[in-house]
Amino acid sequence: QVQLAESGGGVVRPGDSLSLSCAVSGRTVRRSAMAWFRQAPGKEREFVAHIRSVNDYTYYGDSMKGRFTISRDNTKNTLILQMTSLKPDDTAVYYCAASGHVILSAIRTSRMYEYWGQGTQVTVSE
């Protein structure tokens, strides 16, 4: 059984940094296409970042480029999202997602991922 568990969320001020982790069990992160999504109240789930299983190439949502970094810690079987220069618009529940298949062009589509965590709340506020 594959399980994903996010951690690291919290309340921070604009301009602060925060690092999220997603511990994976039942599947090897190194062989999985993995991503972060987020969902703010009253909004649809939004693509944040993706890391390919075959070559570690990374992709980001437009508003995250240059501020967020997705990576894997293979020794801990964990997915990481490092966030800097946080803004109030970054406030959302952040979800970790994984797929056992190679996702080619639809990496921003949430239904392409079979496995999801429960989410961790990130609040950016004065």
Side-chain angles (χ1 to χ4, degrees):
Q1 183 178 2
V2 178
Q3 293 185 323
L4 284 65
E6 301 93 338
S7 62
V11 180
V12 297
R13 296 184 181 276
D16 283 354
S17 300
L18 197 63
S19 183
L20 305 182
S21 294
C22 173
V24 180
S25 59
R27 182 159 193 92
T28 303
V29 295
R30 182 170 54 85
R31 299 189 179 193
S32 302
M34 302 204 68
W36 289 94
F37 285 78
R38 69 185 185 186
Q39 189 164 18
K43 295 187 177 181
E44 294 187 355
R45 192 163 293 190
E46 179 184 22
F47 170 76
V48 173
H50 173 96
I51 184 166
R52 287 207 183 277
S53 58
V54 294
N55 53 21
D56 282 352
Y57 281 5
T58 57
Y59 304 86
Y60 298 92
D62 289 342
S63 65
M64 299 83 179
K65 290 178 183 177
R67 300 190 300 126
F68 291 10
T69 303
I70 186 173
S71 62
R72 277 192 284 251
D73 184 337
N74 295 329
T75 62
K76 297 180 179 179
N77 212 42
T78 298
L79 182 71
I80 299 165
L81 182 68
Q82 294 176 305
M83 304 183 292
T84 64
S85 302
L86 283 163
K87 307 173 183 178
D89 284 348
D90 294 320
T91 295
V93 177
Y94 283 71
Y95 297 92
C96 170
S99 175
H101 308 284
V102 175
I103 303 174
L104 296 177
S105 59
I107 59 172
R108 293 171 171 78
T109 304
S110 59
R111 67 176 183 272
M112 300 303 295
Y113 301 86
E114 306 98 280
Y115 310 109
W116 290 83
Q118 294 300 307
T120 185
Q121 176 71 46
V122 173
T123 301
V124 185
S125 174
E126 294 282 2

